[in-house]
Amino acid sequence: MKLTIGHLYPDLLNLYGDRGNIQCFRKRLEWRKIEAEVIPFLSDDKIDFTKLDIVLLGGGSDREQELVCKYLIEIKQDFKDYVENNGVVLAVCGGYQLLGKYYKTDKKVIEGLDILDIYTEWEPERLIRNIILNSPLFETPITGFENHGGRTYIGSHTPLGKVFFGLGNTGKSGYEGVVYKNVIATYLHGPLLPKNPEICDYLLERALKRKYGKDISLEKLPDKLEHKANEYIVSRYSDKKYVLKETIKRYT
Ligand code: GLN
C-alpha cells in the first residue's frame, strides 16, 4: 500500500513547524510498512488532485496569505472536487482560514477557496496561547499552540473540539476548528500531528480506506512518550482558564 501526500505551497505557507506534520504522516506510515510519497507543490506548480491521498495546507502570515490567494483561485474547483470526493485534508491556521469564503484583514479582503461555509475577520488583539481541546472524535485531549489575528466564524459547521484551555476560533465561542467530510481544519500549530498522533492516524486511516476499501485499518502504536507529554501539558493547564482581556474588561 502507498499514500501520496501533497504539501501545498511550503514556500509560502509553513509557520511554526507545520512541515513536522508531513514528517509525522511519513514516519507513522513507515512504522506500519506502508509506503509514503510526499510531493511539495510550490506556488507556480500544477497540482493534479486525482493523484493525491492527503493534502496539507499550512499556516502563513497575512502577507503570505495574500500572495498565495492568486494561486488558490486557479485550483479552487479541483480542490473543492477533491474534498467532496472525500479527499483527506489537514489545514492549519492560515490554511484553515483560506478554506473559507474570505479573510478580512485590517488592510484588505483575501478571497478564500469557499470549500467551507466559514469566514474570518481580523482583530487587533492576537490570540496567542498554548491550547487544549476536548473532541468527541478522539480519546486523548488535543494539545497545541495558537497564534492568530483572525477570528473564524464557522456557522453551522461541526467544530473539531471544545476549548478546555486557550482561545480557539473566535476567542469567545468556546470552540476550535472545523471537521467536514475528511477535512480537519484547525488553528493548532505545534506542529499538530507529532503532539496528537491519534489525529494523524485518524487522517491516515481515512485516506487508506478511501483508496483501498473500508476493511483497511491501522495497527495501533504504543506512543508511550506522546501520551506522557500529553498528560503533562494537560495537567499543567487543568486548573487554569484563559479568557480574552477584552472579555475580562466587560465583566469588571
Ligand atoms: N495570518 C493569519 C492570522 O494572523 C494566520 C496566522 C497563522 O497561520 N499563524 O490570523
Side-chain angles (χ1 to χ4, degrees), residues 24-154:
C24 190
F25 278 135
R26 202 202 267 279
K27 198 73 206 167
R28 294 182 75 81
L29 284 172
E30 193 186 294
W31 280 333
R32 273 98 166 206
K33 311 222 170 344
I34 300 171
E35 210 185 316
E37 185 189 5
V38 178
I39 312 178
F41 293 100
L42 304 183
S43 27
D44 268 333
D45 293 347
K46 219 160 164 43
I47 306 173
D48 181 356
F49 282 90
T50 63
K51 301 258 166 13
L52 302 179
D53 304 307
I54 298 180
V55 165
L56 175 81
L57 193 61
S61 66
D62 291 358
R63 185 187 149 271
E64 287 158 336
Q65 283 174 282
E66 205 185 310
L67 290 173
V68 97
C69 168
K70 70 168 193 265
Y71 303 105
L72 293 182
I73 291 168
E74 283 162 34
I75 60 166
K76 204 167 179 168
Q77 194 54 49
D78 289 353
F79 201 159
K80 212 181 179 111
D81 292 347
Y82 169 80
V83 168
E84 290 309 315
N85 189 18
N86 299 317
V88 172
V89 177
L90 174 63
V92 178
C93 201
Y96 167 27
Q97 297 171 341
L98 290 169
L99 288 187
K101 291 192 176 301
Y102 64 84
Y103 171 31
K104 189 170 169 205
T105 70
D106 53 334
K107 295 183 193 71
K108 57 163 58 189
V109 178
I110 300 171
E111 190 186 325
L113 287 154
D114 198 14
I115 289 172
L116 302 177
D117 191 9
I118 64 171
Y119 64 93
T120 302
E121 295 189 345
W122 180 91
E123 284 184 33
E125 191 184 342
R126 287 193 77 75
L127 308 182
I128 310 175
R129 286 281 119 186
N130 281 318
I131 175 164
I132 300 173
L133 314 175
N134 287 316
S135 171
L137 292 177
F138 305 104
E139 274 172 39
T140 324
I142 303 172
T143 67
F145 168 74
E146 58 179 326
N147 181 355
H148 48 114
R151 272 64 171 167
T152 299
Y153 300 89
I154 67 167

